[in-house]
Amino acid sequence: MDAPEAPLPPVIYTMENKPIVTCAGDQNLFTSIYPTLSQQLPREPMEWRRSYGRAPKMIHLESNFVQFKEELLPKDGNKALLTFPFLHIYWTECCDTEVYKATVKDDLTKWQNVLKAHSSVDWLIVVVENDAKKKNKTNILPRTSIVDKIRNDFCNKQSDRCVVLSDPLKDSSRTQESWNAFLTKLRTSLLMSFTKNLGKFEDDMRTLREKRTEPGWSFCDYFMVQEELAFVFEMLQQFEDALVQYDELDALFSQYVVNFGAGDGANWLTFFCQPVKSWNGLILRKPIDMEKRELIQRQEATLLDLRSYLFSRQCTLLLFLQRPWEVAQRALELLHGCVQELKLLEVSVPPGALDCWVFLSCLEVLQRIEGCCDRAQIDSNIAHTVGLWSYATEKLKSLGYLCGLVSEKGPDSEDLNRTVDLLAGLGAERPETANTAQSPYKKLKEALSSVEAFEKHYLDLSHAAIEMHTSIGRLRSAKFVGKDLAEFYMRKKSPQKAEVYLQGALKNYLAEGWALPITHTRKQLAECQKHLGQTENYLQTSSLLASDHHLTEDERKHFCREILSFASRQTDSPGQKIVLPLHCFAQLRDLHFTPSNAVVHVGGVLSVEITLCSQMPMPVQVEQVTINVHFSIDKNNYRKTAEWLTKHKTSNGTINFPTETSPLPAPQNNLPALELYEMFERSPSDNSLNTTGIICKNVHMLLRRQESSTSLETSSGVALEDGAHVLKCSGVTLEPGANRITFRTQAREPGTYTLRQLCASVGPVRFVLPHLYPPVQYDVYSQEPQLRVEPLADSLLAGIPQKVKFTVTTGHYTVKNGDSLQLSNAEAMLILCHAENRAVIYSNTRAPVTGGESSVLGMTESHRKHKDTQKAGQCMATTDHKVSIDCPWSIYSTVIALTFSVPFRTTHSLLSAGTRKYIQVCVQNLSELDFELSDGHLVDPDSNADLRLVPLNAKSPQTLYNVRAEILPPSGTEHCRTGSLCSLEVSITRLSDLLEVDKDEALTESDEYFSTKLMYEVVDNSSNWAVCGKSSGVISMPVAARATHRVHMEVMPLFAGYLPLPDVRLFKYLPHHSAHSSQLDADSWIESDGLSVDKHVDEQPDGGGGRCRGSAHLASGGEHRGLPMPRLQALPPGQVFNASVGTQVLVIPSKDDHVLEVSVT
């Protein structure tokens, strides 16, 4: 029975691990060649092509050559790649056939059988030829060499598996060529073995990962498998690929933790939920922490153990890749992530244990980075490490508070016991840091040992973090650390040191508009100011907090009571007044004047109503609200009347104020808008959505640093103005929200009053609004009553009734009921007054005011001409008439001169004709008014019996009809052309209703209106137009004003040029006398007008259409014999107005005319 195999020694994982190559055969031969082989093998790089489309890489191959043993061959289930022999080499320098047959062949056979038994197919046989040995052997076969025999016996069809190395220890070209061929074969064989075995390993690993949803799957087992792959990549110096393996493990574990928090937990996660018992921080000074690796392998590791080991491996590979700053970045993410993962997994952690672990880990990472970088590199990359400094400071502060090292009395027994427990959880210091004076372990132990030591370490870390943040421009973070430092000083009863940091933080938050940090910092600052006895600053901060809606109602009331309590204490013992800005107490929303135009006369009453919005959470009794008024006298003020002031004032009387300086200035109003974009991250394998979020692409513009030169929370610096003019309102209770306060004042002195400052007094505390913007003013005027008389027209005309307007500017006089104006006029000027007319009294805003009534002059106004009036009135004679007016406010009469113009110029001349004398009188209108002259007659004033005056002016008849004609060019053309048909439109309009002259035989009466029959005729005696179609017709015209009848026909211009329109004639169409009238010729009743009347003349008589040239068509003598014919009657002169007389139409010649006839008129 075979003895049991001795257990293999454990594999020591170090960075010196190399791929294993076993060596069988002549060990002495290999020993002599090994130095040269180990140097030459990694000298030339090889291109490594991998599967799945991964990019090829150039690698330098190294190997760990060991003696061949069957125990080294992998057994079933063994997935350790580091102990896997990738290649097996048999070494021999046999050159004797007998020796080959006796020993070497049998040894080779046994070696190959062992390899076949373990399915190892990667092997080589190296035959070393030595010329010296060949010379000493006489039985060497001349034709067949040992190499050929080996190839025939063992290599079969793979003859390249047998390699010849000639005189490897000599220095010759033949030897060098032999070495090159051998090394190439060796590198190729090794690379092929790597590719094949790693590919198979990756497939197995992938298969194992896909089984992760099965119940028995273990993350720790899978971790060991994928780490083997990482070790192989690290062994091949492919550190990036090795890092990818650990990153994949990190991501896989993180996803499981997140799923666990969402309620989808894996069974194996329970191993990592065991309580934390050790918190000794990260270990980064060893390439591989075997202790924690064995815990993972045995599934006994805690969450902190797994995370610590995983990060230590990532750190080692990142340092090999010369990326130390990524170590700092990943470390900060790891520490924050572990805190959250412990909460998600609900792991039991003793109080302070996690703070210790984070503190030690931060310092360990920082010291590890400092160990591989020089000082210049560290100083230039503070941005990557400052986060760790801040996090370490924060955790040390938490430990100090937890262990009672910040309290005023120091730690008690409970605090000391807690400190002992925390230090016990650190364990013993690791050997690699035992000789380091400033190791993280020693720093933490020393900081927790006493109050003084803690203060020293905490202040050092805080000041270092503030200095680093400031040096790289991260002022927000620096102020945040400063706030923690201020809280520490407040705990240590050093408010004077805390105030500096709180003011600095508040200044930064105010400049950038961070609402919640402002509120929190102000609360801390208020406590600090109270301890320092800074009464004014404390009251100002309290008022800001009392109006801050980010606080609870109780907190706001507390700070409001602080102000009221101080005011009540100081009322009993009057002292110095404290002036604070109004915006933290109340805000002025609007102001309203009564009267609305803010203009009053001397002695008048002005009301000012303001809306004050209280910011306090409770009613506040204000002793007095005052408005300081600045009085000024304008040098031209005596010219400002009530009317002038009215025109230059707003009419609504309300002034709205913008939101005053807020406790929270928001500079974001001036910043650009947010540029937000959606972000989706998908899985590269199946394109599934992994994460989604929002990215702000202009965050660099929104989070820019904005500094101001002075502190924003210092003393208000508001000065109270003292003046003789003050508006006051006492005993006001300001309720939360809007409050209306009314001030009343009586105007004493004329001038301009500007409201400058608003003040609310609560005991000795004065809340002041130093300036009112926009500026607010009211004016007081002093003006004697004035009377102005002006005509409503441009000028007064003699002899014509006209209206005259009396304008009374009362000034400071108040019109009473019954006041009247008494007018005394000259006999030549009559005043026409209507008793029912009354005066209307207006205020300065033109709004009617109820009050006294007085009489007004009522006169009619003539209609004016619609014509150019520039020259009207230039030659009119004028005459002046004076009016004396007695006013109720004065004992003196006011005399006003009115100028009248004579509108007519009259001339006459005496004309002789034989024994008769003719007197011609011409009346010319010089004004712009229309006058109608009627009943003109000439009278002899001496009543001479021998003189008889006979008027020769005939009475002009009234116009009854308006006839208008218009010729339009063909559609689509601008002008008429010769030979083209144009449209003639005739419009006949009745101008008046039924008159006496209309009552004749043609008048007919219907149910609704009277009508008369008219006949129109279009005649062109100048032969310029050819009337085509009907040229005449009979219409029934309603006898009503504005009744219109339109006739359309076609005409053709016969000549080019400006042609006058054809004549349009109008006749009365009278019916026949009887049905048995004499048989007359058709032309006899037309009175030689050249018209041919159709049989149905009552409907529409048709003009002769047989001819286009000319306008007459004579009918044959006996054609219409025996018909009862109507007759035409010409309208008297003046009854028809032809509006188109003298109108001409432009006619252009046709383009195809060869002979051009032009008519010139």
Side-chain angles (χ1 to χ4, degrees):
M1 183 176 179
D2 296 335
E5 297 181 358
L8 293 176
V11 179
I12 304 300
Y13 294 91
T14 64
M15 297 315 298
E16 288 76 24
N17 287 335
K18 299 173 185 178
I20 296 177
V21 177
T22 64
C23 297
D26 192 345
Q27 295 297 322
N28 294 328
L29 173 63
F30 172 73
T31 302
S32 63
I33 296 174
Y34 175 74
T36 306
L37 179 60
S38 60
Q39 292 178 2
Q40 295 292 331
L41 180 61
R43 184 165 295 177
E44 296 292 334
M46 291 289 289
E47 186 181 36
W48 186 20
R49 294 184 177 273
R50 303 179 61 194
S51 58
Y52 297 105
R54 286 174 283 193
K57 296 184 178 181
M58 302 301 293
I59 63 173
H60 293 266
L61 291 173
E62 294 184 84
S63 295
N64 182 18
F65 295 94
V66 298
Q67 185 177 356
F68 176 79
K69 294 181 180 179
E70 188 176 355
E71 293 82 3
L72 294 176
L73 297 177
K75 297 179 175 58
D76 294 339
N78 186 3
K79 296 182 175 58
L81 283 176
L82 287 182
T83 59
F84 182 82
F86 289 94
L87 187 62
H88 307 278
I89 304 178
Y90 188 91
W91 299 85
T92 180
E93 58 177 352
C94 176
C95 58
D96 189 347
T97 305
E98 298 298 332
V99 175
Y100 169 73
K101 292 180 179 180
T103 58
V104 175
K105 184 177 180 180
D106 293 339
D107 195 29
L108 271 170
T109 302
K110 290 180 181 180
W111 176 69
Q112 280 212 338
N113 290 335
V114 173
L115 294 180
K116 289 179 181 178
H118 290 82
S119 302
S120 295
V121 295
D122 299 306
W123 50 269
L124 282 179
I125 299 175
V126 180
V127 179
V128 179
E129 293 184 349
N130 195 326
D131 291 342
K133 290 189 176 182
K134 284 184 178 181
K135 292 178 181 179
N136 296 332
K137 300 294 182 179
T138 58
N139 58 346
I140 297 178
L141 298 176
R143 295 182 179 178
T144 305
S145 64
I146 297 298
V147 175
D148 294 332
K149 281 188 169 292
I150 293 175
R151 286 174 177 170
N152 291 331
D153 294 339
F154 300 100
C155 297
N156 295 328
K157 297 180 181 180
Q158 299 175 340
S159 59
D160 58 340
R161 292 289 186 99
C162 182
V163 184
V164 178
L165 185 59
S166 301
D167 292 329
L169 300 180
K170 285 187 177 182
D171 187 9
S172 64
S173 59
R174 180 172 176 269
T175 301
Q176 189 61 40
E177 290 177 2
S178 178
W179 266 111
N180 290 340
F182 168 67
L183 290 173
T184 300
K185 180 61 179 176
L186 179 58
R187 293 187 188 112
T188 304
S189 300
L190 266 175
L191 204 56
M192 290 176 62
S193 180
F194 285 150
T195 305
K196 179 183 64 175
N197 288 285
L198 259 66
K200 184 177 181 304
F201 186 87
E202 286 181 325
D203 291 340
D204 294 340
M205 182 187 75
R206 199 172 293 109
T207 302
L208 181 60
R209 184 172 59 209
E210 291 173 354
K211 295 180 179 179
R212 62 184 180 274
T213 57
E214 297 180 1
W217 191 84
S218 172
F219 176 79
C220 294
D221 294 340
Y222 176 74
F223 183 93
M224 292 299 161
V225 173
Q226 189 159 0
E227 191 182 30
E228 282 289 331
L229 184 61
F231 284 151
V232 172
F233 286 126
E234 188 177 359
M235 180 176 63
L236 297 176
Q237 297 186 356
Q238 301 301 306
F239 303 117
E240 191 70 48
D241 290 331
L243 182 62
V244 168
Q245 308 308 314
Y246 287 110
D247 289 345
E248 289 181 357
L249 289 170
D250 189 349
L252 181 62
F253 185 79
S254 299
Q255 187 61 49
Y256 270 106
V257 174
V258 172
N259 293 344
F260 183 88
D264 183 16
N267 294 330
W268 53 266
L269 267 175
T270 56
F271 297 112
F272 298 99
C273 296
Q274 52 187 312
V276 175
K277 298 180 181 178
S278 176
W279 41 88
N280 54 0
L282 296 175
I283 302 174
L284 304 180
R285 301 172 197 256
K286 293 190 297 186
I288 301 176
D289 188 352
M290 293 304 300
E291 180 181 353
K292 285 188 172 52
R293 189 176 189 276
E294 290 175 0
L295 290 175
I296 296 172
Q297 191 171 12
R298 297 197 303 265
Q299 298 185 2
E300 297 176 359
T302 63
L303 177 68
L304 294 183
D305 293 334
L306 175 67
R307 284 299 185 186
S308 298
Y309 176 77
L310 191 56
F311 181 77
S312 67
R313 295 296 301 134
Q314 292 171 322
C315 173
T316 301
L317 294 171
L318 287 171
L319 293 179
F320 276 125
L321 292 170
Q322 297 182 353
R323 285 148 59 181
W325 314 120
E326 189 175 340
V327 174
Q329 176 186 349
R330 289 187 176 218
L332 195 58
E333 295 174 359
L334 167 76
L335 299 178
H336 285 286
C338 283
V339 173
Q340 299 303 319
E341 288 178 346
L342 288 171
K343 293 180 180 179
L344 284 175
L345 296 179
E346 300 178 357
V347 177
S348 175
V349 183
L354 198 55
D355 296 331
C356 291
W357 184 80
V358 171
F359 178 80
L360 292 173
S361 300
C362 288
L363 296 188
E364 177 73 9
V365 174
L366 291 171
Q367 291 186 4
R368 185 72 179 92
I369 294 175
E370 290 174 357
C372 60
C373 301
D374 55 26
R375 175 50 56 183
Q377 289 178 314
I378 294 174
D379 292 341
S380 62
N381 289 278
I382 291 177
H384 297 93
T385 58
V386 67
L388 293 172
W389 285 104
S390 298
Y391 205 19
T393 305
E394 178 185 343
K395 291 306 175 183
L396 184 60
K397 182 193 76 169
S398 299
L399 288 171
Y401 281 44
L402 183 66
C403 298
L405 299 173
V406 189
S407 62
E408 184 178 0
K409 298 180 181 179
D412 53 19
S413 58
E414 184 178 354
D415 296 331
L416 293 175
N417 292 333
R418 189 179 295 112
T419 304
V420 171
D421 294 338
L422 290 176
L423 293 176
L426 301 178
E429 187 172 7
R430 296 187 290 268
E432 56 269 19
T433 61
N435 298 325
T436 305
Q438 295 295 323
S439 66
Y441 181 88
K442 292 185 178 68
K443 281 190 174 183
L444 179 58
K445 195 170 184 179
E446 181 182 356
L448 299 181
S449 62
S450 65
V451 174
E452 294 75 14
F454 172 80
E455 183 174 351
K456 175 183 177 300
H457 283 282
Y458 177 67
L459 293 180
D460 289 345
L461 285 175
S462 298
H463 291 148
I466 292 175
E467 183 179 354
M468 291 179 188
H469 281 302
T470 305
S471 65
I472 60 175
R474 296 182 181 176
L475 294 185
R476 300 183 192 90
S477 300
K479 303 302 182 185
F480 190 76
V481 178
K483 272 192 63 180
D484 291 341
L485 201 55
E487 185 179 352
F488 171 78
Y489 281 127
M490 290 298 296
R491 289 286 191 99
K492 302 293 289 184
K493 300 301 180 183
S494 299
Q496 67 279 1
K497 295 181 180 179
E499 185 187 16
V500 178
Y501 294 102
L502 291 175
Q503 288 284 9
L506 185 59
K507 172 183 172 182
N508 184 259
Y509 296 149
L510 284 170
E512 297 181 352
W514 299 98
L516 293 178
I518 287 174
T519 303
H520 183 262
T521 308
R522 277 194 178 133
K523 286 177 63 178
Q524 295 175 306
L525 187 61
E527 182 183 0
C528 180
Q529 292 167 343
K530 189 174 184 179
H531 282 88
L532 291 174
Q534 299 176 354
T535 304
E536 182 175 350
N537 292 340
Y538 175 67
L539 291 178
Q540 180 179 353
T541 306
S542 296
S543 62
L544 290 169
L545 290 170
S547 61
D548 195 335
H549 293 277
H550 294 98
L551 293 178
T552 63
E553 194 73 14
D554 292 339
E555 289 177 313
R556 292 178 61 197
K557 288 182 179 179
H558 164 72
F559 288 106
C560 183
R561 291 190 187 100
E562 288 287 296
I563 302 172
L564 300 179
S565 174
F566 173 82
S568 62
R569 291 198 305 268
Q570 296 300 317
T571 303
D572 300 336
S573 55
Q576 183 182 2
K577 297 178 181 178
I578 295 179
V579 181
L580 300 177
L582 179 68
H583 67 76
C584 54
F585 178 73
Q587 289 191 356
L588 180 62
R589 179 182 295 175
D590 57 53
L591 180 146
H592 180 73
F593 281 112
T594 303
S596 59
N597 62 347
V599 177
V600 293
H601 56 76
V602 173
V605 177
L606 178 80
S607 295
V608 180
E609 184 182 61
I610 65 172
T611 301
L612 203 61
C613 294
S614 175
Q615 306 288 342
M616 297 294 104
M618 54 191 296
V620 177
Q621 184 69 31
V622 179
E623 298 174 2
Q624 186 173 258
V625 180
T626 61
I627 301 179
N628 188 280
V629 181
H630 175 74
F631 171 70
S632 62
I633 302 178
D634 190 354
K635 62 181 180 180
N636 295 324
N637 190 61
Y638 64 91
R639 298 180 182 175
K640 294 183 179 179
T641 62
E643 182 180 359
W644 186 94
L645 292 170
T646 300
K647 292 179 180 178
H648 293 80
K649 286 287 185 178
T650 57
S651 58
N652 59 2
T654 301
I655 296 103
N656 294 312
F657 295 91
T659 303
E660 302 170 19
T661 306
S662 170
L664 177 59
Q668 286 85 348
N669 296 337
N670 301 323
L671 293 178
L674 287 171
E675 294 182 10
L676 299 178
Y677 296 88
E678 293 181 345
M679 183 270 297
F680 300 99
E681 184 178 341
R682 298 186 178 275
S683 173
S685 58
D686 55 359
N687 199 35
S688 61
L689 184 63
N690 287 344
T691 58
T692 183
I694 297 177
I695 295 177
C696 179
K697 290 194 174 182
N698 60 340
V699 67
H700 61 288
M701 300 181 67
L702 295 167
L703 297 182
R704 289 182 298 180
R705 176 167 58 93
Q706 298 182 5
E707 284 292 324
S708 56
S709 57
T710 58
S711 174
L712 300 176
E713 272 315 87
T714 55
S715 178
S716 62
V718 178
L720 278 173
E721 292 186 1
D722 294 329
H725 300 276
V726 178
L727 304 180
K728 296 182 180 180
C729 186
S730 302
V732 178
T733 301
L734 291 183
E735 298 288 341
N739 299 267
R740 292 190 176 274
I741 304 173
T742 303
F743 303 85
R744 288 180 175 83
T745 181
Q746 186 172 15
R748 300 292 183 187
E749 188 176 355
T752 299
Y753 295 80
T754 304
L755 277 59
R756 295 279 290 272
Q757 194 177 80
L758 177 65
C759 176
S761 302
V762 181
V765 182
R766 303 288 189 270
F767 294 98
V768 178
L769 178 62
H771 302 288
L772 270 66
Y773 184 84
V776 181
Q777 295 178 340
Y778 67 90
D779 291 280
V780 177
Y781 68 93
S782 176
Q783 180 181 353
E784 295 297 327
Q786 295 180 359
L787 173 65
R788 184 169 68 252
V789 180
E790 53 186 348
L792 295 181
D794 294 336
S795 62
L796 292 174
L797 300 178
I800 301 171
Q802 295 162 93
K803 290 184 179 180
V804 178
K805 182 176 68 173
F806 285 66
T807 302
V808 177
T809 304
T810 59
H812 60 265
Y813 176 80
T814 303
V815 179
K816 298 181 290 294
N817 192 13
D819 285 348
S820 62
L821 300 178
Q822 298 180 6
L823 278 69
S824 301
N825 60 300
E827 294 180 358
M829 183 181 68
L830 300 178
I831 297 178
L832 307 178
C833 183
H834 299 282
E836 66 274 8
N837 287 350
R838 294 297 176 186
V840 179
I841 302 175
Y842 290 91
S843 67
N844 289 331
T845 60
R846 303 301 299 164
V849 177
T850 59
E853 299 178 353
S854 61
S855 61
V856 68
L857 300 181
M859 302 180 183
T860 61
E861 184 178 9
S862 303
H863 296 286
R864 300 190 176 271
K865 298 179 181 179
H866 298 284
K867 65 176 184 178
D868 187 8
T869 61
Q870 292 181 355
K871 298 183 180 179
Q874 293 181 356
C875 303
M876 290 189 292
T878 60
T879 181
D880 292 338
H881 295 279
K882 294 183 179 180
V883 179
S884 176
I885 306 174
D886 294 329
C887 304
W889 55 79
S890 176
I891 61 175
Y892 302 104
S893 298
T894 302
V895 179
I896 295 176
L898 298 178
T899 300
F900 292 85
S901 300
V902 179
F904 304 112
R905 177 187 294 166
T906 306
T907 59
H908 70 278
S909 58
L910 183 63
L911 305 175
S912 300
T915 61
R916 293 185 178 185
K917 297 293 184 178
Y918 296 92
I919 300 175
Q920 182 184 37
V921 179
C922 296
V923 181
Q924 182 181 2
N925 181 13
L926 301 178
S927 71
E928 60 178 356
L929 300 181
D930 290 330
F931 291 94
E932 182 179 351
L933 187 62
S934 62
D935 298 333
H937 58 276
L938 195 63
V939 179
D940 178 15
D942 297 333
S943 302
N944 192 343
D946 298 333
L947 179 65
R948 187 166 62 92
L949 298 176
V950 180
L952 300 180
N953 294 315
K955 188 174 182 180
S956 60
Q958 185 172 3
T959 304
L960 300 181
Y961 298 99
N962 180 26
V963 178
R964 181 182 300 274
E966 183 180 7
I967 293 181
L968 301 175
S971 177
T973 61
E974 185 177 359
H975 300 289
C976 296
R977 293 181 180 272
T978 58
S980 300
L981 290 178
C982 301
S983 176
L984 172 63
E985 180 177 331
V986 179
S987 176
I988 304 170
T989 304
R990 173 78 182 191
L991 299 180
S992 64
D993 293 327
L994 181 66
L995 299 176
E996 191 67 30
V997 298
D998 295 313
K999 298 178 180 179
D1000 53 16
E1001 299 174 84
L1003 184 68
T1004 60
E1005 182 180 0
S1006 63
D1007 294 340
E1008 298 179 357
Y1009 57 87
F1010 289 93
S1011 64
T1012 184
K1013 286 192 176 183
L1014 300 176
M1015 180 176 179
Y1016 67 89
E1017 178 188 14
V1018 179
V1019 180
D1020 183 22
N1021 294 327
S1022 60
S1023 300
N1024 291 325
W1025 303 86
V1027 181
C1028 301
K1030 294 186 296 183
S1031 62
S1032 62
V1034 177
I1035 62 174
S1036 179
M1037 192 72 184
V1039 183
R1042 311 312 299 173
T1044 303
H1045 189 89
R1046 289 181 176 85
V1047 178
H1048 298 271
M1049 60 186 67
E1050 291 182 338
V1051 296
M1052 179 187 296
L1054 305 177
F1055 304 99
Y1058 282 94
L1059 305 183
L1061 269 65
D1063 297 332
V1064 180
R1065 300 175 183 176
L1066 206 60
F1067 303 93
K1068 272 203 173 184
Y1069 186 79
L1070 301 177
H1072 55 81
H1073 292 288
S1074 65
H1076 305 284
S1077 62
S1078 61
Q1079 304 294 324
L1080 298 178
D1081 186 84
D1083 292 329
S1084 63
W1085 60 271
I1086 301 177
E1087 299 177 359
S1088 69
D1089 282 326
L1091 288 177
S1092 175
V1093 182
D1094 191 71
K1095 294 179 181 180
H1096 306 287
V1097 292
D1098 290 341
E1099 298 297 329
Q1100 196 63 260
D1102 190 4
R1107 295 176 58 201
C1108 282
R1109 185 64 178 263
S1111 57
H1113 180 199
L1114 299 177
S1116 59
E1119 187 175 358
H1120 296 282
R1121 299 287 181 179
L1123 294 175
M1125 291 296 178
R1127 68 185 186 278
L1128 299 179
Q1129 178 181 333
L1131 292 170
Q1135 287 191 1
V1136 179
F1137 175 74
N1138 197 333
S1140 304
V1141 173
T1143 305
Q1144 293 181 334
V1145 176
L1146 175 61
V1147 178
I1148 60 176
S1150 300
K1151 295 182 180 179
D1152 56 348
D1153 287 345
H1154 299 286
V1155 178
L1156 181 64
E1157 295 183 12
V1158 178
S1159 175
V1160 179
T1161 58

